[in-house]
Amino acid sequence: MSWRHVAVATEAVVQAGAIQLERYGQGVKVDYKGEIDLVTEVDHACEAAILDVIRSRFPDHDIVTEEQDLARTGSRYVWLIDPLDGTINFAHAYPMFSASAALAVDGEVVAGAVFDPIRDELFTAEKGAGAHLNGRRLGVTRADALIRSLIITGFPYDLHQRLVERLRPFVRVMARARAVRRAGSAAIDLSYVAAGRADGFWEAVLKPWDMGAGRLMVQEAGGRVTRFDGTPVSLGPDEIVATNGLIHDELMTVLREEASTAEAALV
Ligand code: IPD
Ligand code: CA
Ligand code: CA
């Protein structure tokens, strides 16, 4: 039954992606939610398009979306919408951003779609029915050690205020993994773990809209998604570790380690 929800999530993110592509690289009006937390006119335009799609199909469902605080009715069905994930990238014409839509039923994500309009890549996931990229079934990697793994991360917008706290785990993982990337769109980061383009991802705080679709993508591709201590991730805001499963314990252990003297000297 969730295939209908995946279809509507897909329609919503593809419409948003078309707006992103049309406006990409042309300069965009920016407003500030915080010192480094931006919102552009394109975020708002994408949000309006996504809301139109969802409301026209499911008028009774609740919607949690990044740029508007919408009233909730208490519906069992809650959409989690990130109209433009990677706003800083978009504002700088750095080609790594997406739109993300997910549906949670009774607090569990059951359907999701992430669209990267630059690469024309549509990632979809349905609970119990797998994750797909442009219709091709996805599976996580088989890397079984951090030293042979490519890990992605991201930083919440409180980075300047909590620099040392945020950088310590980053330095530790840098010291253990083959490589660490910070790409700037959590929805794409998680989709890449599902697609086997990376072995794991972590972030200290993600909002419901950042990780709604991506977390299901990883689970449906055979990966594991938890908090840093192995407990279930809430809908958010929450911390998240998402991996191929095989490196999960090792990555959690490194994230939770006390800073070594060498690391402490660095940050
Ligand atoms: C951000 C991106 C980024 C992540 C931040 C998110 P936004 O979303 O996903 O990669 O590190 O935590 O807030 O603001 O571009 O939608
Ligand atoms: Ca986001
Ligand atoms: Ca956003």
Side-chain angles (χ1 to χ4, degrees):
M1 165 63 187
S2 283
W3 65 267
R4 277 193 63 219
H5 301 132
V6 176
V8 172
T10 296
E11 188 181 342
V13 295
V14 167
Q15 285 206 16
I19 295 170
Q20 293 167 11
L21 206 53
E22 193 186 310
R23 301 293 307 274
Y24 176 65
Q26 298 180 18
V28 73
K29 187 173 166 296
V30 171
D31 287 320
Y32 290 86
K33 298 193 278 185
E35 188 192 24
I36 58 167
D37 189 0
L38 319 180
V39 59
T40 73
E41 48 191 326
V42 176
D43 295 69
H44 293 302
C46 292
E47 187 167 69
I50 292 176
L51 292 182
D52 271 356
V53 171
I54 292 171
R55 283 175 170 151
S56 68
R57 303 303 194 293
F58 301 113
D60 301 339
H61 291 187
D62 281 347
I63 304 178
V64 172
T65 184
E66 182 170 10
E67 312 304 345
Q68 287 181 53
D69 200 2
L70 299 174
R72 303 270 294 271
T73 66
S75 169
R76 296 172 56 211
Y77 296 84
V78 181
W79 288 88
L80 311 172
I81 304 303
D82 197 334
L84 171 47
D85 187 49
T87 293
I88 293 183
N89 287 346
F90 187 85
H92 288 262
Y94 187 91
M96 181 64 80
F97 49 83
S98 60
S100 175
L103 176 70
V105 181
D106 297 327
E108 187 187 11
V109 180
V110 297
V114 173
F115 184 50
D116 168 355
I118 292 283
R119 295 167 190 78
D120 198 22
E121 290 192 325
L122 172 70
F123 300 87
T124 54
E126 179 185 345
K127 176 117 190 94
H132 295 82
L133 164 54
N134 293 348
R136 183 173 55 82
R137 183 80 182 240
L138 296 180
V140 294
T141 65
R142 301 176 65 83
D144 61 359
L146 267 186
I147 194 61
R148 288 185 288 280
S149 295
L150 189 149
I151 305 296
I152 318 176
T153 191
F155 296 100
Y157 291 116
D158 63 4
L159 180 63
H160 291 181
Q161 288 71 44
R162 307 175 86 137
L163 195 61
V164 171
E165 180 192 338
R166 299 291 186 232
L167 288 189
R168 280 206 163 121
F170 181 71
V171 169
R172 286 202 295 279
V173 180
M174 287 280 270
R176 310 288 180 84
R178 177 178 283 172
V180 180
R181 304 285 181 249
R182 192 283 193 253
S185 167
I188 291 182
D189 299 340
L190 287 160
S191 299
Y192 278 14
V193 174
R197 295 174 178 175
D199 306 290
F201 167 83
W202 92 92
E203 186 156 342
V205 186
L206 283 182
K207 304 280 179 53
W209 46 82
D210 296 313
M211 61 176 167
R215 61 192 287 171
L216 182 63
M217 218 75 72
V218 173
Q219 282 164 343
E220 287 299 322
R224 185 173 167 203
V225 178
T226 68
R227 305 183 78 243
F228 293 4
D229 62 0
T231 56
V233 182
S234 70
L235 279 187
D238 209 345
E239 60 191 33
I240 181 170
V241 193
T243 73
N244 65 3
L246 300 175
I247 58 161
H248 205 88
D249 288 345
E250 190 183 358
L251 182 54
M252 281 196 302
T253 302
V254 173
L255 288 172
R256 295 167 68 203
E257 265 170 17
E258 293 298 323
S260 71
T261 318
E263 293 155 16
L266 274 172
V267 284

